[in-house]
Amino acid sequence: MASNDYDLVVVGAGHAGCEAAAAAARMGAAVAVVTLDRRTIAQMPCNPAIGGIGKGHLVAELDALGGLQGWAADRAGIQFKMLNASRGPAVWGPRAQCDKARYTEIMARVLGGLRGLEIIESEVVGLLSDDVGVTGVRLRDGRLLRARTTILTTGTFLGGVLHSGEESRPGGRHGERPSIGLGAELEGLGLELRRFKTGTPPRLRMSSLDVEQLEVQGGDEPPRAFSWRTRKVTNRIECWVTRTPERIQGIIKDNLHRSPLFSGVIEGVGPRYCPSIEDKIVRFPQHREHTVFLEPEGLTTESVYVNGLSTSLPADVQEAVVHAVPGLSRAEFLRYGYAVEYDMVAPGQVGKDLVCRDVPGLALAGQVLGTSGYEEAAALGFLAGVNAVRAGRGEDAFVLGREEAYMGVLVDDLVLREHVEPYRMFTSRAEHRLLLGIDSARERLMARGVRLGLVREEVFHVEHGRWKDRRKVRSALEETRLNPDRATKETLREMAGIELKTPSSWAGLLRRQDVDVDRIAEAIPGLGELSEEDRRIVVGLLRYDGYLARHRREIDRVRRLRYVEISRSFDPSVVPGLSREVVEQLQRHRPATLAEAERLPGMTPAAIAILAGRLARGTEGA
């Protein structure tokens, strides 16, 4: 059988696979990407959007490190919107509705143009291994691809089964076949698999919608791009909003016995935060209506994504539900909704480099690790690709801390915490979220992107100059004194509509929530010379600096804990005072430091105090 050698083989070309392969190839590795169909590279099988609350933070961080998703979303974007804009800047969530065909085209072109990257259209039917670990893959046509590291990014294809009403059939996505034998091989290597489930709503024909009955939802003006590589983005479409009427509850309840979700056909666990419409009706009967967002899937297609009506009910029931919704009474279906069940690798079986702890040479990224969403998948794929290259060079793993990035929170949660449903990133998962806003992503991470070889130094120097300018202006705002003399009071009253009663500074005035920054910015020395983005960042830092200082103190505490190491030979079962649950968690996850142990499920402050005392005495047990 023919055999080809690579530094890295990536199985799957979804969002995780694309970022893994692109990062590795740009770092100089020889990469093979195996996909069932070139036409589905970076496909958006569910919502044709990138970003959102929590997810947008991942995209911003990925972009700062040199990843592709934000850059591609800017070029394929057809409507841009900042979610959570009424709240503080730390939890703003940028989101771009994309032309899904254009997004796939862009990512396929980028991958196809990278030196050292080969796209192979085939199916992986087995893994190659020896006494050391996984050494490559076997393709259906008999070819062997050998590599130092193999990254599985199989999405929902691993043992995938599609469900629609009473019908179930093998499949990873609509019209695509699943990967059947690979799951058995993973179990044969000692990995524990679990069954998860996700779903998608119907797609409707745009010209069949009664838009006069729908509420228009436009994008932001001016729209904001994801990437530092993008000069300008433009809103090109409108979306619409409607709401389900109360009478659909009866339609759904009368047909629950035909739902695979409630008839017992589906065994996998679905996402609690993104339930199907039948799940909403059963779990939240007090809600008389549910919001439905109608989102065009591109500029050259009539397909409209019905966000909020995910379902696996039979086709006739889906039609009855949709046609009962205001504005959709004559809607034509282009595709019915369905659910998909798939295999994923149970949490805690990979290290922070995303390599399986007990299977060297095999890394995982994306939904096979139990995540849900394009953004989580892309972030994990990027990290897996980077770490595969670094491992080949004999370098330490590239690991981000929870206090440094949402990407660090993502990996930390997947590696050290149990999750029994598809994992989705939220800002609430990050205890240091005030320090991790989208505005600070470049300043936090771009220098690391340069060191990885994925961000050009000249770009970094331009950005670094902007950071210096912001710090300079902020210092000047703090130092400038404003005394409540008659002339100053009159000027401020006229300019900003505020009364100055005690001595202050420009910084002090800008911290006030009743001050309209845009109204007075041009009159404040230095501030008016900054770009709108830089001005917003400076004011945001001024208004939240007290909270930021508190979070930095908490980070210092965590860093001190991080230096307390736990050796591999540590035996928690001999430590008096630890509960059985704590001992089991320590034995299963084998944390390397006290800081990692602190975040394990079931870990208590009392248990951490016992461990800290034991480790400080140097008596870690046999």
Side-chain angles (χ1 to χ4, degrees):
M1 291 183 289
S3 176
N4 294 344
D5 292 338
Y6 301 89
D7 296 313
L8 174 65
V9 170
V10 179
V11 181
H15 300 276
C18 286
E19 294 289 353
R26 291 167 62 204
M27 292 173 72
V31 182
V33 182
V34 185
T35 178
L36 292 171
D37 189 341
R38 287 173 177 264
R39 295 170 299 178
T40 62
I41 288 174
Q43 192 176 62
M44 293 178 163
C46 202
N47 196 337
I50 297 294
I53 300 170
K55 292 171 173 284
H57 291 75
L58 291 173
V59 181
E61 292 175 354
L62 183 60
D63 186 73
L65 289 167
L68 300 177
Q69 190 172 69
W71 173 86
D74 286 342
R75 280 144 189 80
I78 51 181
Q79 188 188 89
F80 298 82
K81 197 172 186 67
M82 185 68 73
L83 307 185
N84 253 3
S86 62
R87 302 181 62 188
V91 294
W92 290 351
R95 183 180 187 270
Q97 188 77 14
C98 294
D99 184 317
K100 61 189 300 182
R102 174 68 174 152
Y103 188 92
T104 292
E105 174 191 328
I106 290 169
M107 292 296 283
R109 187 172 67 244
V110 170
L111 260 63
L114 287 175
R115 180 180 301 175
L117 190 153
E118 181 181 358
I119 301 174
I120 299 173
E121 197 172 45
S122 185
E123 180 184 357
V124 172
V125 295
L127 299 173
L128 307 178
S129 60
D130 57 20
D131 293 340
V132 177
V134 171
T135 59
V137 301
R138 181 174 65 258
L139 303 183
R140 181 166 292 283
D141 60 14
R143 281 181 292 170
L144 306 180
L145 308 182
R146 301 190 184 277
R148 184 181 298 111
T149 303
T150 298
I151 303 178
L152 292 187
T153 66
T154 50
T156 59
F157 284 77
L158 200 64
V161 176
L162 304 181
H163 300 278
S164 183
E166 293 92 345
E167 179 187 359
S168 296
R169 64 186 187 280
R173 277 191 303 236
H174 177 78
E176 298 179 65
R177 66 182 187 273
S179 175
I180 298 299
L182 204 51
E185 292 221 10
L186 293 178
E187 289 183 311
L189 291 170
L191 294 175
E192 178 193 349
L193 301 186
R194 292 182 186 171
R195 203 78 172 147
F196 272 4
K197 166 259 177 188
T198 189
T200 192
R203 307 308 198 271
L204 305 179
R205 188 181 302 279
M206 187 183 302
S207 59
S208 68
L209 308 182
D210 186 354
V211 295
E212 296 298 323
Q213 294 191 53
L214 303 174
E215 176 186 335
V216 175
Q217 186 176 62
D220 292 339
E221 289 297 345
R224 176 173 173 173
F226 278 113
S227 180
W228 48 266
R229 290 162 282 191
T230 303
R231 292 184 180 274
K232 184 180 180 181
V233 293
T234 304
N235 287 319
R236 306 179 69 181
I237 63 159
E238 290 179 338
C239 297
W240 300 278
V241 178
T242 184
R243 289 165 185 83
T244 61
E246 186 174 350
R247 66 190 180 94
I248 74 161
Q249 295 193 11
I251 299 173
I252 291 173
K253 288 178 179 178
D254 289 344
N255 288 277
L256 281 178
H257 63 285
R258 303 176 65 194
S259 165
L261 184 63
F262 289 93
S263 65
V265 173
I266 293 178
E267 298 178 353
V269 180
R272 175 166 40 100
Y273 43 80
C274 188
S276 64
I277 185 61
E278 54 265 39
D279 205 15
K280 291 178 186 177
I281 296 301
V282 171
R283 288 168 52 193
F284 310 112
Q286 70 277 19
H287 294 173
R288 301 303 182 187
E289 60 179 24
H290 299 275
T291 304
V292 177
F293 299 92
L294 299 163
E295 301 170 330
E297 294 199 307
L299 298 176
T300 58
T301 177
E302 276 228 88
S303 183
V304 175
Y305 181 89
V306 189
N307 193 343
L309 280 185
S310 177
T311 182
S312 57
L313 287 163
D316 61 305
V317 183
Q318 292 190 36
E319 290 180 3
V321 169
V322 167
H323 291 157
V325 177
L328 308 184
S329 61
R330 294 174 292 145
E332 298 176 19
F333 281 67
L334 298 178
R335 182 190 298 174
Y336 293 95
Y338 63 90
V340 56
E341 264 188 302
Y342 57 94
D343 290 331
M344 51 80 63
V345 176
Q349 299 182 87
V350 299
K352 290 196 173 184
D353 56 359
L354 301 182
V355 174
C356 295
R357 287 193 175 104
D358 297 323
V359 189
L362 180 65
L364 308 174
Q367 283 181 285
V368 71
L369 264 183
T371 60
S372 172
Y374 311 141
E375 303 81 5
E376 292 88 344
L380 291 172
F382 177 88
L383 293 171
V386 165
N387 280 320
V389 175
R390 291 177 67 85
R393 295 173 179 172
E395 300 173 350
D396 291 338
F398 180 70
V399 176
L400 296 166
R402 297 181 69 90
E403 75 283 3
E404 297 176 301
Y406 275 85
M407 292 172 72
V409 174
L410 173 64
V411 172
D412 202 60
D413 283 353
L414 293 177
V415 170
L416 294 174
R417 295 185 174 183
E418 183 76 9
H419 56 283
V420 295
E421 63 183 6
Y423 179 99
R424 177 178 179 174
M425 180 54 69
F426 294 105
T427 54
S428 59
R429 295 192 190 274
E431 60 269 41
H432 304 300
R433 55 188 170 275
L434 285 182
L435 300 179
L436 304 180
I438 55 172
D439 286 332
S440 68
R442 299 174 198 171
E443 197 163 354
R444 284 185 280 120
L445 299 173
M446 189 174 272
R448 298 195 181 195
V450 173
R451 291 195 291 272
L452 291 173
L454 298 173
V455 175
R456 299 195 312 273
E457 287 199 28
E458 56 268 31
V459 174
F460 173 75
H461 289 313
V462 171
E463 286 291 322
H464 190 264
R466 291 179 61 191
W467 308 337
K468 289 176 63 177
D469 289 344
R470 292 201 296 256
R471 286 193 288 268
K472 183 179 178 180
V473 168
R474 183 180 175 182
S475 295
L477 294 174
E478 295 279 14
E479 294 167 1
T480 303
R481 304 306 300 170
L482 297 173
N483 293 311
D485 55 68
R486 179 180 299 177
T488 302
K489 291 174 68 174
E490 185 174 331
T491 298
L492 289 175
R493 188 182 304 115
E494 183 177 312
M495 180 177 67
I498 58 176
E499 291 289 336
L500 182 66
K501 298 181 179 180
T502 59
S504 185
S505 63
W506 283 119
L509 292 184
L510 290 170
R511 288 190 178 99
R512 293 174 53 166
Q513 297 298 320
D514 61 341
V515 172
D516 186 341
V517 176
D518 294 331
R519 178 180 174 183
I520 66 173
E522 297 298 330
I524 299 178
L527 191 63
E529 300 168 13
L530 296 178
S531 68
E532 182 181 347
E533 179 182 359
D534 287 333
R535 186 188 308 163
R536 184 185 65 247
I537 292 172
V538 168
V539 174
L541 289 171
L542 287 174
R543 290 183 172 178
Y544 287 89
D545 58 359
Y547 299 101
L548 297 175
R550 184 178 67 189
H551 276 273
R552 290 190 181 97
R553 289 194 295 270
E554 174 63 15
I555 287 173
D556 289 340
R557 186 187 73 85
V558 173
R559 282 176 174 162
R560 288 194 297 273
L561 284 176
R562 182 172 292 120
Y563 289 111
V564 181
E565 297 181 354
I566 303 175
S567 74
R568 297 284 293 181
S569 62
F570 174 62
D571 182 4
S573 66
V574 303
V575 179
L578 294 182
S579 68
R580 178 179 298 178
E581 179 185 8
V582 166
V583 169
E584 289 176 352
Q585 292 293 341
L586 290 169
Q587 289 174 332
R588 178 178 183 183
H589 294 284
R590 291 178 291 186
T593 66
L594 204 57
E596 290 185 5
E598 186 181 38
R599 293 191 293 275
L600 292 179
M603 191 62 63
T604 64
I608 289 296
I610 292 171
L611 283 173
R614 185 81 170 195
L615 297 175
R617 294 196 300 272
T619 54
E620 299 184 14

